[in-house]
Amino acid sequence: MKILLAEDQAMVRGALAALLSLEGDFEVIQAKDGNEALALLKQENFDLLLTDIEMPGYTGLELAAWCQTQKLPLKVIILTTFGRAGYIKRAIEAGVGGFLLKDAPSESLIDAIAHVLKGKRIIEPELAIMAVGECDPLNDKERRALRLASEGRSTAEIAESLFIAEGTVRNYLSEAIAKLHASNRIDAARIAQQKGWL
């Protein structure tokens, strides 16, 4: 079975790759960030995408949503440090088969892979309950602009990254600030990050 492992922390990525090679008949291809993972998904066929959420470039949730829109015949498991309600809800909407926290025992990961490959969904009950919480008010365009703003990018830099006009960036950020009842773009990014909406 061919697994694409997308994880930006080299030590964690190496440990996961070693664990998978010891535990099963897995061919593991590693990606150091979301952009590299997306390029590999476009070039090769995989049975499973095992991905972190927060990475440079595309996030794990964006990769999962891309796989869903492309109707790729692979399963997705999110492995993260953060059990935020917004993340879990977005993962479910993106058709993710498993959502596990990184502090789970290694056997849980191997079991989850086996179950997800059989078409089952594995999400810890407490995390699933969290997903029923608040609705994410941001749309994808507002989320992208806000994420870039949270990295300290200027309006001009955000516009260049998203291939849109500066005025459009200002509109997206203003909408996000209003929806989150924030005082400015930094406050909006902080609120969205805490909720798992970013």
Side-chain angles (χ1 to χ4, degrees):
M1 188 185 70
K2 198 167 174 184
I3 298 176
L4 175 57
L5 171 60
E7 165 63 62
D8 62 319
Q9 295 179 12
M11 192 177 290
V12 175
R13 188 173 65 247
L16 284 169
L19 169 72
L20 291 168
S21 61
L22 287 172
E23 291 289 339
D25 187 20
F26 304 131
E27 179 190 351
V28 181
I29 309 296
Q30 300 180 41
K32 69 180 183 305
D33 61 29
N35 291 341
E36 189 175 337
L38 183 63
L40 286 164
L41 286 166
K42 289 177 177 178
Q43 291 168 13
E44 301 180 42
N45 294 322
F46 295 93
D47 300 296
L48 178 73
L49 167 62
L50 180 60
T51 180
D52 189 11
I53 289 183
E54 295 185 358
M55 299 183 289
Y58 283 82
T59 67
L61 292 170
E62 289 171 337
L63 290 173
W66 184 85
C67 290
Q68 185 182 49
T69 58
Q70 298 299 308
K71 296 182 170 52
L72 295 186
L74 86 166
K75 305 293 184 188
V76 180
I77 294 178
I78 299 275
L79 195 58
T80 183
T81 311
F82 308 103
R84 296 176 181 151
Y87 283 164
I88 300 157
K89 195 164 193 167
R90 286 170 57 206
I92 291 169
E93 288 168 359
V96 166
F99 192 101
L100 299 174
L101 294 175
K102 285 182 182 173
D103 61 2
S106 56
E107 310 83 62
S108 298
L109 174 60
I110 303 305
D111 288 346
I113 289 172
H115 282 87
V116 167
L117 287 173
K118 290 177 187 164
K120 296 179 181 172
R121 184 170 266 173
I122 302 295
I123 298 173
E124 293 176 33
E126 315 87 74
L127 297 178
I129 289 165
M130 285 173 61
V132 180
E134 301 170 84
C135 291
D136 179 357
L138 301 174
N139 64 40
D140 284 339
K141 292 172 182 175
E142 292 160 354
R143 185 177 295 109
R144 284 195 189 107
L146 197 56
R147 185 178 320 115
L148 291 169
S150 74
E151 294 171 4
R153 306 243 191 132
S154 68
T155 303
E157 290 169 329
I158 296 169
E160 189 178 332
S161 291
L162 299 179
F163 305 103
I164 55 177
E166 287 184 46
T168 307
V169 171
R170 282 192 282 276
N171 289 342
Y172 289 161
L173 292 174
S174 295
E175 284 294 317
I177 290 165
K179 287 177 178 179
L180 297 174
H181 308 289
S183 52
N184 56 44
R185 62 171 71 180
I186 303 303
D187 188 36
R190 180 189 56 77
I191 292 166
Q193 191 96 41
Q194 286 174 345
K195 300 277 191 183
W197 295 336
L198 207 54

